[in-house]
Amino acid sequence: MRPVLLFVAACGSTPEKGVPLTAAERLDPAACAGCHPDHHARWSLSMHAHAAEDPVFLAMNAYGQRQTGGELGDFCVQCHAPVALAQGLTTDGTNLPDLDPALGGITCAACHQIDAVLDDHNNATAWSPSAFFRGGLDAPQDTSAHGHRYSRLHDRREASSADLCGSCHDVVTPAGVHLERTYAEWQDSIYSQAGEGLQQTCGACHMPGSDGRAASIEGAPARRIHDHAMPGVDIDLTGDPVADLQRQLVQDSLDSTVFLQLEVFDYGTGVGVNVALDNIAAGHGFPSGAAHDRRAWVEVVARDAAGAVLWSTGSVGADQSLRSAMAEDAELWWLGDRALQADGTDAHMFWEVAQVQARALPAPSRHAVDDPRYEEAHQVRTFDMGPIVPATVEAAIHIRPIGLDVLDVLVDSGDLDPAVRDRMPTFTLGGSVVSWSAGESPER
Amino acid sequence: MQEAVAGLQVGCESGACSVILDELSPEPPDRGDNTWTLRVVDGAGAQVVVESVTLSPFMPAHNHGTAPADFPATATGSGAWTAGPFDLFMPGRWEVRVAVGVGEDNVEHAVFAFCVEG
């Protein structure tokens, strides 16, 4: 992330005295920071800010362009670097590291100059780089720095704001596979439904509100403003120290996502354990987005009174890929998409994918309670631990934003620095950590 | 719906007692971590001897609670019980369902309902 250069002249002490931003400045987030420092600072923590410099994205795009003989074209950059693409500065993203960082990523202008959503995937939007910025404030204060227009697409109180997010948060591959389905998952959830207290837009959860001022200009009124850090599950892997704060935001967001219940039972000749999962807080699947690359799984460990492990599943080493753990652990319960090639074998990269088998935990369903789909967000699995006498049983859910096996392919191809693999975190969902002790009811 | 502020008193479903919200942080409740301190009184306002207090946040419109679901409170002296932090992770109408253990097999229930702003 480059240092922020404040365009003080553009802001001025009063809006009337502000100098209009030039066309180039309107595309530069650093210029926005002059009057919107808090928004810029929080956006800098988001993956939107890092979308065009993320080393995994750059490596996957470079590898994919080579592997497909360039057929990927602008598939990746249409969402990862839409401004650079629209400005004709890149065609396939392979030159992004050489471009002005101001034009990479999902910048202020990338979102706030969208006029219309034309389709529900692959950034099918009408983007108009004009002197007018679109936002969700219904009575924006006049400023000479730029014009402004109210836009329902940018108003997180409006269902149509999800259409804007969904335009990039659903992805259909060049092969026609609906690979990333976050928006579709939300549409199929209770959170997309109009009605008293039901609807939660993307921004309602990922952009929490607070009382503040939208701009640091004289006379700016107190408003309900919203956070632009937008934590999900991905984190910045460039080595920037701000990733520590971003990581904490992601952790906080993940902690409440899945409700785990544990029931240990004796069946006479052995001991079993039921693990029940409910996706209670994600308005989409868990995991979502690049669910074919994400690695989420359930760990269950039974111990004796001395703490020795009697039985376990999902105990994946810190440096071990989930796929290699699955080869040793037939019972391992993982959540995500299984991506397959046309011949039915596993696909390792998205351009190889011919079909996906969804194994994520869906969001609470919009369907009626008597519809079989209603229960899909509640999943139960029974594990037979055999003839053991456990003193404790512990369970938890873990997630890696991108699987180490995916990163290994990119390291082996020479496109990814091995140090990036070492930075890939494994999150444990705090709210999913449950323990049971012999003679006690399941407890947390 | 009443705003959840310090001093708010909610009757137990049986009518035998009331639960008073003594302190809450943040006030009013907001997205993220919340911590509440409660007190239980009888119809005359006298302190009730309580064995346990458990808070269970819930969003009735979505039919989900939190993870974990229940937050046992700790007695903090002078009849006060403190629970949390519990994460009210979504804007909208929440209930904090309070289970008060007042004796063997005797659990009183009270519900605080409020909105968390987006």
Side-chain angles (χ1 to χ4, degrees):
Chain A
M1 179 63 55
R2 69 191 182 125
V4 174
L5 302 174
L6 298 182
F7 288 72
V8 178
C11 192
S13 57
T14 66
E16 291 73 26
K17 292 178 182 175
V19 176
L21 295 170
T22 66
E25 289 167 349
R26 290 196 297 268
L27 299 181
D28 187 346
C32 305
C35 290
H36 307 285
D38 295 340
H39 290 70
H40 180 273
R42 298 297 288 182
W43 167 82
S44 298
L45 295 172
S46 76
M47 284 310 292
H48 283 172
H50 298 285
E53 64 179 13
D54 174 66
V56 177
F57 153 70
L58 291 172
M60 196 174 287
N61 183 54
Y63 184 47
Q65 297 291 355
R66 286 202 315 280
Q67 291 294 103
T68 64
E71 287 187 10
L72 279 183
D74 65 2
F75 173 73
C76 300
V77 289
Q78 56 193 344
C79 281
H80 277 265
V83 173
L85 180 65
Q87 296 291 299
L89 300 172
T90 190
T91 56
D92 62 5
T94 55
N95 65 332
L96 285 175
D98 303 323
L99 295 183
D100 180 352
L103 299 171
I106 319 303
T107 59
C108 314
C111 284
H112 288 279
Q113 299 220 318
I114 287 176
D115 269 338
V117 175
L118 308 176
D119 206 343
D120 58 7
H121 59 274
N122 297 13
N123 196 15
T125 55
W127 185 74
S128 303
S130 70
F132 290 87
F133 281 74
R134 294 75 166 166
L137 301 180
D138 42 17
Q141 187 178 20
D142 285 336
T143 169
S144 51
H146 58 78
H148 47 71
R149 287 181 178 146
Y150 170 76
S151 163
R152 295 180 67 188
L153 294 174
H154 297 79
D155 186 344
R156 68 201 173 102
R157 298 167 297 185
E158 297 284 344
S160 53
S161 67
D163 300 342
L164 178 60
C165 306
S167 67
C168 267
H169 287 280
D170 261 27
V171 172
V172 176
T173 69
V177 177
H178 196 173
L179 190 65
E180 299 191 16
R181 304 179 301 281
T182 304
Y183 179 53
E185 292 160 2
W186 172 80
Q187 287 177 308
D188 207 36
S189 79
I190 194 173
Y191 301 118
S192 70
Q193 301 300 291
E196 181 67 30
L198 289 178
Q199 195 166 83
Q200 301 282 358
T201 64
C202 313
C205 286
H206 290 276
M207 304 181 79
S210 63
D211 295 329
R213 298 181 193 281
S216 59
I217 58 177
E218 191 175 312
R223 297 180 182 278
R224 195 69 178 169
I225 58 174
H226 46 276
D227 193 339
H228 280 62
M230 294 175 269
V233 65
D234 287 304
I235 70 157
D236 172 32
L237 297 170
T238 60
D240 189 327
V242 300
D244 291 341
L245 179 53
Q246 182 193 47
R247 184 171 170 153
Q248 187 58 53
L249 294 173
V250 170
Q251 181 71 63
D252 291 345
S253 174
L254 288 172
D255 277 345
S256 299
T257 302
V258 179
F259 178 54
L260 189 152
Q261 291 173 286
L262 192 62
E263 179 191 22
V264 179
F265 59 92
D266 185 337
Y267 60 85
T269 57
V271 176
V273 56
N274 289 327
V275 179
L277 306 181
D278 286 270
N279 176 355
I280 60 170
H284 43 69
F286 175 85
S288 189
H292 55 291
D293 286 335
R294 311 234 186 272
R295 300 291 182 261
W297 70 94
V298 179
E299 181 179 20
V300 184
V301 180
R303 301 176 191 274
D304 65 16
V309 175
L310 302 176
W311 181 92
S312 70
T313 180
S315 296
V316 180
D319 193 46
Q320 183 182 23
S321 76
L322 183 65
R323 285 201 175 185
S324 75
M326 289 164 60
E328 305 164 0
D329 183 352
E331 294 199 85
L332 196 151
W333 186 5
W334 62 275
L335 302 162
D337 281 355
R338 185 176 180 195
L340 300 171
Q341 302 187 72
D343 63 4
T345 59
D346 285 327
H348 295 280
M349 291 292 152
F350 69 85
W351 53 87
E352 303 169 343
V353 178
Q355 61 170 307
V356 290
Q357 297 174 346
R359 294 175 53 125
L361 199 57
S365 174
R366 67 182 171 85
H367 302 293
V369 292
D370 57 353
D371 186 307
R373 291 170 291 184
Y374 180 82
E375 286 292 334
E376 288 177 357
H378 175 77
Q379 297 185 9
V380 183
R381 186 164 293 194
T382 300
F383 298 95
D384 182 353
M385 298 192 289
I388 64 171
V389 182
T392 63
V393 178
E394 298 166 332
I397 299 172
H398 310 285
I399 183 169
R400 284 184 185 137
I402 303 290
L404 297 183
D405 56 293
V406 177
L407 303 185
D408 287 339
V409 173
L410 299 173
V411 169
D412 290 345
S413 72
D415 294 289
L416 186 67
D417 181 346
V420 174
R421 185 189 193 276
D422 298 335
R423 294 186 199 122
M424 180 58 66
T426 300
F427 293 100
T428 298
L429 280 58
S432 75
V433 178
V434 177
S435 64
W436 169 91
S437 298
E440 297 180 9
S441 298
E443 64 176 29
R444 294 178 176 280
Chain B
M1 193 182 314
Q2 288 181 287
E3 190 175 5
V5 294
L8 178 62
Q9 182 168 331
V10 173
C12 298
E13 291 172 356
S14 70
C17 60
S18 292
V19 180
I20 299 173
L21 181 52
D22 260 356
E23 293 179 25
L24 67 167
S25 177
E27 182 181 5
D30 202 356
R31 297 259 319 257
D33 286 345
N34 288 254
T35 299
W36 284 18
T37 298
L38 307 165
R39 198 159 39 90
V40 184
V41 297
D42 63 17
Q47 181 181 317
V48 174
V49 176
V50 170
E51 294 180 355
S52 66
V53 174
T54 300
L55 275 58
S56 304
F58 197 76
M59 289 194 89
H62 302 146
N63 196 34
H64 67 68
T66 54
D70 304 320
F71 293 83
T74 303
T76 49
S78 304
W81 293 78
T82 297
F86 48 88
D87 182 9
L88 304 178
F89 51 79
M90 246 177 218
R93 182 177 183 273
W94 282 87
E95 293 178 356
V96 170
R97 300 174 176 179
V98 183
V100 180
V102 290
E104 191 173 349
D105 297 329
N106 187 6
V107 179
E108 297 285 350
H109 298 276
V111 178
F112 290 87
F114 54 91
C115 280
V116 169
E117 193 173 359

